[in-house]
């Protein structure tokens, strides 16, 4: 076995555990969904057992991922984005434009976007599992966390738990740009667990994807 192959085997258990936690599953629930015994799943997560491809396929299906999630090794070049080449997108009904700068490689835990926020935008209040960090690139944002409002301008940052009720707005007459980084926990359905049901992969900190 090569060093690279050994690293992938050793990382299988931690990747499996992280994905299970993202989905909010217990070992018992994963065992029921996958048809694999709890004892064996526990051994795999601890690195004391290596499943066959067939068993790994069962586990992957129960965790809503492909087998490559556990065995693929991400390449740095696949995670590189260029400012001039990064496409922008928006969600139907929202005036915010997003640039995705995070990569969806196997085992990733963070999601990151640059948000282009128009003047006058206001979000709804939301709370969910996970944690978030925002950094103001340009303009000014009023961020409310646990009922406390923070006026943030370029260079300011804020890091908080998603379980703290939070909302935000651009009260100025100029657009703003925000770097958003988040670590989310997902339900078994594969969706994040914000109260407003924001879609997986979309930043719930800037919670409302449509203005109030």
């Amino acid at each position: 076995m090569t060093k690279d192959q050994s690293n992938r085997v050793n990382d299988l258990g931690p990747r499996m555990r992280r994905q299970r936690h993202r989905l909010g599953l217990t070992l018992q629930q994963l065992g029921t969904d996958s048809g694999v015994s709890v004892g064996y799943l526990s051994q795999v997560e601890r690195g004391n057992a290596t499943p066959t491809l067939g068993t790994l396929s069962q586990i992957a299906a129960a965790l809503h991922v492909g087998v490559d999630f556990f065995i693929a090794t991400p390449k740095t070049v696949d995670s590189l984005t260029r400012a001039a080449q990064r496409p922008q997108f928006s969600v139907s009904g929202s005036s915010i434009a997003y640039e995705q700068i995070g990569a969806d490689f196997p085992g990733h835990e963070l999601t990151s976007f640059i948000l282009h926020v128009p003047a006058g935008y206001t979000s709804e209040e939301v709370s969910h599992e996970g944690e978030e960090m925002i950094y103001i690139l340009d303009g000014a944002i009023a961020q409310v966390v646990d009922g406390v409002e923070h006026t943030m301008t370029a260079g300011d940052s804020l890091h908080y738990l998603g379980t703290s009720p939070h909302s935000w707005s651009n009260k100025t007459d100029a657009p703003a740009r925000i770097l958003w980084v988040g670590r989310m926990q997902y339900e078994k359905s594969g969706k994040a667990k914000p109260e407003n049901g924001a879609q997986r992969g979309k930043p719930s900190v800037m919670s409302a994807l449509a203005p109030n």
Side-chain angles (χ1 to χ4, degrees):
M1 180 181 294
T2 67
K3 181 178 180 180
D4 181 61
Q5 289 172 325
S6 177
N7 288 339
R8 279 180 282 179
V9 169
N10 292 337
D11 195 39
L12 191 156
R15 288 188 183 185
M16 175 177 153
R17 184 185 301 109
R18 287 195 296 267
Q19 180 64 9
R20 178 171 63 81
H21 288 169
R22 286 195 192 98
L23 298 176
L25 293 175
T26 64
L27 278 172
Q28 183 64 52
Q29 290 171 315
L30 178 58
T32 298
D33 292 346
S34 66
V36 179
S37 73
V38 172
Y40 187 73
L41 291 173
S42 179
Q43 290 186 57
V44 173
E45 287 196 354
R46 296 198 308 270
N48 295 329
T50 302
T52 64
L53 185 59
T55 300
L56 189 59
S57 296
Q58 292 174 248
I59 296 171
L63 292 175
H64 304 282
V65 295
V67 173
D68 63 336
F69 178 89
F70 300 107
I71 61 178
T73 301
K75 298 179 181 179
T76 303
V77 67
D78 296 331
S79 304
L80 177 66
T81 65
R82 302 287 188 184
Q85 303 170 356
R86 196 160 45 234
Q88 293 188 14
F89 66 92
S90 60
V91 178
S92 178
S94 174
S95 55
I96 294 180
Y98 299 87
E99 295 180 46
Q100 183 168 355
I101 60 176
D104 292 329
F105 55 75
H108 79 95
E109 294 194 32
L110 295 178
T111 302
S112 185
F113 296 86
I114 292 176
L115 284 73
H116 298 256
V117 187
Y121 183 90
T122 300
S123 81
E124 62 184 305
E125 185 177 87
V126 64
S127 61
H128 53 81
E129 296 297 323
E131 59 184 297
E132 304 174 352
M133 181 181 294
I134 60 172
Y135 178 88
I136 310 304
L137 298 170
D138 298 300
I141 291 293
Q143 179 80 30
V144 179
V145 180
D146 277 334
V148 179
E149 181 173 308
H150 307 275
T151 299
M152 304 173 63
T153 57
D156 293 343
S157 65
L158 187 63
H159 185 186
Y160 52 91
L161 292 175
T163 50
S164 300
H166 51 277
S167 62
W168 62 288
S169 61
N170 180 357
K171 298 181 179 181
T172 73
D173 57 2
R177 286 195 312 140
I178 302 168
L179 172 62
W180 180 93
V181 180
R183 180 178 182 274
M184 310 297 289
Q185 179 173 326
Y186 302 109
E187 293 178 335
K188 181 180 175 181
S189 63
K191 294 185 178 180
K193 298 199 291 186
E195 289 180 350
N196 69 334
Q199 294 180 352
R200 179 180 182 177
K202 299 299 184 290
S204 64
V205 57
M206 304 313 170
S207 56
L209 300 183
N212 290 348

